[in-house]
Amino acid sequence: MSRMMTVLVAAALTVTPASAFTVPPRTPPGLAAAIDRETMGDGEQAAAVDASYRPDPAVRRKLADIMSEGAAKTGANEAQEMRQIVLSGEAVRQYEKVAPVLGYRANDAIDGLAFYLLAQWGVANDYRPDISRAQAAGVRRQAANAFASVADQVGTDAMRQEFGEMLMIQGAIMAGTHEAALRAGDEATLARYADMAREGGKALFTVDPTTLILTDEGFRRK
């Protein structure tokens, strides 16, 4: 995705569930429409919403069930791999390492959403330059506005953790595997990841992510 993401390669995520690319994360109804308004430039500045949460191991275990069930759509092995990734906490820890580089924080659902959107867009576009702090901040503003429209649907610590960590995990897998293929010079794998990310990205962006550009104001339609 970018050189900023090279730290994710050290995560030792030894498996790459394709479901991280192709199975959309479970998100509140209305979120995709709100993100669409943001990329169209039609979003309005929302009141600040607190999306932080206090992590609970029980929520992580529930999330492992949810994400492995989604991964099972692509195979039993995929389901087991995803369960192991979620329960190990490795992908979330790697997100926490790279988050400060982007100006993001741990244990915050808005930052998790912004990170996921950057990862999904970056892999779909096979984006290789650095992502600047200004660009990352622009995407976070869009994520905050979109999240505010559904905040009442994720009104507890547990719900915000489930939402945020699901996005962090899928984003970390996509960004890390893209970086690994880039370092290996594996253009065929990069193209395959891009195809999967373009298809999967339609769930939250509502459009093919390659029709969007990244600016200091966030994502905009070409």
Side-chain angles (χ1 to χ4, degrees):
M1 181 173 165
S2 80
R3 290 187 297 278
M4 279 187 175
M5 299 301 183
T6 56
V7 65
L8 290 170
V9 179
L13 295 176
T14 56
V15 292
T16 309
S19 58
F21 296 84
T22 59
V23 178
R26 288 195 347 187
T27 57
L31 181 64
I35 293 171
D36 185 58
R37 289 193 296 272
E38 291 294 321
T39 63
M40 290 286 288
D42 296 333
E44 297 182 1
Q45 183 63 44
V49 174
D50 180 16
S52 63
Y53 55 83
R54 182 174 299 177
D56 182 342
V59 175
R60 178 78 55 78
R61 291 192 292 271
K62 178 185 175 185
L63 183 58
D65 291 339
I66 293 169
M67 295 189 73
S68 63
E69 180 181 347
K73 296 174 183 177
T74 55
N77 289 340
E78 290 263 342
Q80 184 58 34
E81 289 169 354
M82 183 61 82
R83 178 179 295 278
Q84 290 172 354
I85 288 174
V86 177
L87 290 177
S88 73
E90 189 61 42
V92 173
R93 284 192 292 273
Q94 296 313 310
Y95 162 79
E96 291 172 350
K97 288 180 181 179
V98 78
V101 180
L102 296 168
Y104 296 170
R105 298 165 295 183
N107 305 327
D108 189 284
I110 290 173
D111 291 278
L113 173 58
F115 175 72
Y116 174 86
L117 293 174
L118 280 172
Q120 185 88 51
W121 177 87
V123 177
N125 286 274
D126 190 18
Y127 189 75
R128 304 185 186 191
D130 281 340
I131 291 172
S132 71
R133 288 285 289 257
Q135 290 169 330
V139 172
R140 196 202 185 272
R141 285 191 294 271
Q142 291 180 314
N145 285 341
F147 183 85
S149 70
V150 298
D152 59 336
Q153 300 179 59
V154 281
T156 67
D157 267 12
M159 295 170 77
R160 288 189 292 272
Q161 180 184 350
E162 181 182 310
F163 172 86
E165 289 197 356
M166 179 178 292
L167 294 164
M168 292 170 192
I169 291 166
Q170 290 196 218
I173 293 171
M174 287 190 290
T177 52
H178 178 269
E179 184 64 36
L182 185 59
R183 287 179 137 193
D186 190 342
E187 296 294 334
T189 295
L190 288 167
R192 181 166 59 86
Y193 288 163
D195 286 343
M196 290 192 293
R198 279 197 294 273
E199 189 61 32
K202 294 175 184 177
L204 271 186
F205 285 116
T206 72
V207 297
D208 185 327
T210 61
T211 65
L212 303 174
I213 59 173
L214 179 61
T215 74
D216 289 355
E217 301 304 315
F219 294 113
R220 290 288 182 260
R221 301 292 175 92
K222 290 181 178 177

